[in-house]
PDB file of all heavy atoms in Angstrom:
ATOM      1  N   MET A   1     135.128 141.376  38.328  1.00  0.00           N
ATOM      2  CA  MET A   1     135.444 141.173  39.758  1.00  0.00           C
ATOM      3  C   MET A   1     136.892 140.657  39.780  1.00  0.00           C
ATOM      4  O   MET A   1     137.192 139.547  39.209  1.00  0.00           O
ATOM      5  CB  MET A   1     134.604 140.144  40.425  1.00  0.00           C
ATOM      6  CG  MET A   1     133.097 140.475  40.323  1.00  0.00           C
ATOM      7  SD  MET A   1     132.535 141.451  41.632  1.00  0.00           S
ATOM      8  CE  MET A   1     131.950 142.912  40.726  1.00  0.00           C
ATOM      9  N   ILE A   4     138.141 137.024  42.594  1.00  0.00           N
ATOM     10  CA  ILE A   4     137.165 135.958  42.869  1.00  0.00           C
ATOM     11  C   ILE A   4     137.929 134.674  42.737  1.00  0.00           C
ATOM     12  O   ILE A   4     138.009 134.082  41.707  1.00  0.00           O
ATOM     13  CB  ILE A   4     136.029 136.040  41.936  1.00  0.00           C
ATOM     14  CG1 ILE A   4     135.188 137.302  42.102  1.00  0.00           C
ATOM     15  CG2 ILE A   4     134.989 134.876  42.317  1.00  0.00           C
ATOM     16  CD1 ILE A   4     134.118 137.437  41.307  1.00  0.00           C
ATOM     17  N   GLY A  64     125.709 145.752  42.935  1.00  0.00           N
ATOM     18  CA  GLY A  64     125.859 144.397  42.422  1.00  0.00           C
ATOM     19  C   GLY A  64     126.179 143.395  43.504  1.00  0.00           C
ATOM     20  O   GLY A  64     125.913 143.549  44.692  1.00  0.00           O
ATOM     21  N   CYS A  65     126.869 142.380  43.037  1.00  0.00           N
ATOM     22  CA  CYS A  65     127.236 141.113  43.830  1.00  0.00           C
ATOM     23  C   CYS A  65     127.935 141.622  45.132  1.00  0.00           C
ATOM     24  O   CYS A  65     127.510 140.903  46.160  1.00  0.00           O
ATOM     25  CB  CYS A  65     128.147 140.266  43.020  1.00  0.00           C
ATOM     26  SG  CYS A  65     128.895 138.867  43.872  1.00  0.00           S
ATOM     27  N   MET A  66     128.799 142.494  45.084  1.00  0.00           N
ATOM     28  CA  MET A  66     129.624 142.774  46.268  1.00  0.00           C
ATOM     29  C   MET A  66     128.937 143.903  47.170  1.00  0.00           C
ATOM     30  O   MET A  66     129.583 144.437  48.097  1.00  0.00           O
ATOM     31  CB  MET A  66     130.950 143.150  45.855  1.00  0.00           C
ATOM     32  CG  MET A  66     131.775 142.167  45.114  1.00  0.00           C
ATOM     33  SD  MET A  66     131.804 140.514  45.778  1.00  0.00           S
ATOM     34  CE  MET A  66     133.253 140.647  46.883  1.00  0.00           C
ATOM     35  N   SER A  67     127.664 144.157  46.975  1.00  0.00           N
ATOM     36  CA  SER A  67     127.025 145.299  47.680  1.00  0.00           C
ATOM     37  C   SER A  67     126.721 145.056  49.201  1.00  0.00           C
ATOM     38  O   SER A  67     126.463 145.961  49.943  1.00  0.00           O
ATOM     39  CB  SER A  67     125.780 145.703  47.046  1.00  0.00           C
ATOM     40  OG  SER A  67     124.775 144.692  47.099  1.00  0.00           O
ATOM     41  N   GLU A  68     126.898 143.796  49.566  1.00  0.00           N
ATOM     42  CA  GLU A  68     126.709 143.607  51.064  1.00  0.00           C
ATOM     43  C   GLU A  68     127.938 142.785  51.590  1.00  0.00           C
ATOM     44  O   GLU A  68     128.661 142.144  50.806  1.00  0.00           O
ATOM     45  CB  GLU A  68     125.451 142.930  51.457  1.00  0.00           C
ATOM     46  CG  GLU A  68     124.138 143.697  50.954  1.00  0.00           C
ATOM     47  CD  GLU A  68     122.999 142.895  51.373  1.00  0.00           C
ATOM     48  OE1 GLU A  68     122.762 141.724  50.886  1.00  0.00           O
ATOM     49  OE2 GLU A  68     122.027 143.485  52.030  1.00  0.00           O
ATOM     50  N   THR A 102     132.907 138.024  53.105  1.00  0.00           N
ATOM     51  CA  THR A 102     132.337 137.576  51.807  1.00  0.00           C
ATOM     52  C   THR A 102     131.270 138.685  51.530  1.00  0.00           C
ATOM     53  O   THR A 102     130.886 139.577  52.358  1.00  0.00           O
ATOM     54  CB  THR A 102     131.615 136.240  51.895  1.00  0.00           C
ATOM     55  OG1 THR A 102     130.455 136.326  52.691  1.00  0.00           O
ATOM     56  CG2 THR A 102     132.427 135.181  52.332  1.00  0.00           C
ATOM     57  N   CYS A 103     130.687 138.498  50.276  1.00  0.00           N
ATOM     58  CA  CYS A 103     129.450 139.234  49.980  1.00  0.00           C
ATOM     59  C   CYS A 103     128.318 138.396  50.479  1.00  0.00           C
ATOM     60  O   CYS A 103     128.546 137.332  51.147  1.00  0.00           O
ATOM     61  CB  CYS A 103     129.344 139.533  48.482  1.00  0.00           C
ATOM     62  SG  CYS A 103     128.986 137.934  47.527  1.00  0.00           S
ATOM     63  N   ALA A 104     127.106 138.795  50.284  1.00  0.00           N
ATOM     64  CA  ALA A 104     125.899 138.140  50.780  1.00  0.00           C
ATOM     65  C   ALA A 104     125.789 136.567  50.233  1.00  0.00           C
ATOM     66  O   ALA A 104     125.148 135.775  50.812  1.00  0.00           O
ATOM     67  CB  ALA A 104     124.631 138.882  50.563  1.00  0.00           C
ATOM     68  N   MET A 105     126.363 136.445  49.048  1.00  0.00           N
ATOM     69  CA  MET A 105     126.332 135.185  48.408  1.00  0.00           C
ATOM     70  C   MET A 105     127.516 134.295  48.636  1.00  0.00           C
ATOM     71  O   MET A 105     127.658 133.227  48.072  1.00  0.00           O
ATOM     72  CB  MET A 105     125.926 135.352  46.921  1.00  0.00           C
ATOM     73  CG  MET A 105     127.112 136.054  46.150  1.00  0.00           C
ATOM     74  SD  MET A 105     126.711 136.084  44.420  1.00  0.00           S
ATOM     75  CE  MET A 105     125.385 137.136  44.312  1.00  0.00           C
ATOM     76  N   GLY A 106     128.569 134.815  49.420  1.00  0.00           N
ATOM     77  CA  GLY A 106     129.693 134.013  49.708  1.00  0.00           C
ATOM     78  C   GLY A 106     130.927 134.186  48.917  1.00  0.00           C
ATOM     79  O   GLY A 106     131.871 133.443  49.078  1.00  0.00           O
ATOM     80  N   VAL A 107     130.951 135.217  48.007  1.00  0.00           N
ATOM     81  CA  VAL A 107     132.196 135.423  47.320  1.00  0.00           C
ATOM     82  C   VAL A 107     133.207 136.056  48.160  1.00  0.00           C
ATOM     83  O   VAL A 107     132.931 137.056  48.853  1.00  0.00           O
ATOM     84  CB  VAL A 107     131.962 136.332  46.113  1.00  0.00           C
ATOM     85  CG1 VAL A 107     133.288 136.744  45.413  1.00  0.00           C
ATOM     86  CG2 VAL A 107     130.990 135.809  45.091  1.00  0.00           C
ATOM     87  N   PRO A 108     134.421 135.478  48.324  1.00  0.00           N
ATOM     88  CA  PRO A 108     135.358 135.916  49.295  1.00  0.00           C
ATOM     89  C   PRO A 108     136.016 137.255  48.949  1.00  0.00           C
ATOM     90  O   PRO A 108     136.312 137.562  47.743  1.00  0.00           O
ATOM     91  CB  PRO A 108     136.502 134.849  49.266  1.00  0.00           C
ATOM     92  CG  PRO A 108     136.243 134.058  48.125  1.00  0.00           C
ATOM     93  CD  PRO A 108     134.903 134.241  47.553  1.00  0.00           C
ATOM     94  N   ARG A 109     136.151 138.189  50.020  1.00  0.00           N
ATOM     95  CA  ARG A 109     136.800 139.401  49.846  1.00  0.00           C
ATOM     96  C   ARG A 109     137.857 139.669  50.941  1.00  0.00           C
ATOM     97  O   ARG A 109     138.353 140.831  50.998  1.00  0.00           O
ATOM     98  CB  ARG A 109     135.724 140.471  49.736  1.00  0.00           C
ATOM     99  CG  ARG A 109     135.025 140.610  51.056  1.00  0.00           C
ATOM    100  CD  ARG A 109     133.622 141.388  51.119  1.00  0.00           C
ATOM    101  NE  ARG A 109     133.537 142.435  50.167  1.00  0.00           N
ATOM    102  CZ  ARG A 109     132.327 142.963  49.835  1.00  0.00           C
ATOM    103  NH1 ARG A 109     131.252 142.564  50.356  1.00  0.00           N
ATOM    104  NH2 ARG A 109     132.381 143.901  48.938  1.00  0.00           N
TER     105      ARG A 109
HETATM  106 CU1   CU B   1     128.010 138.250  45.691  1.00  0.00          CU
END
Side-chain angles (χ1 to χ4, degrees):
M1 307 271 119
I4 299 182
C65 170
M66 303 306 273
S67 66
E68 295 183 309
T102 70
C103 74
M105 63 177 67
V107 176
R109 68 198 324 167

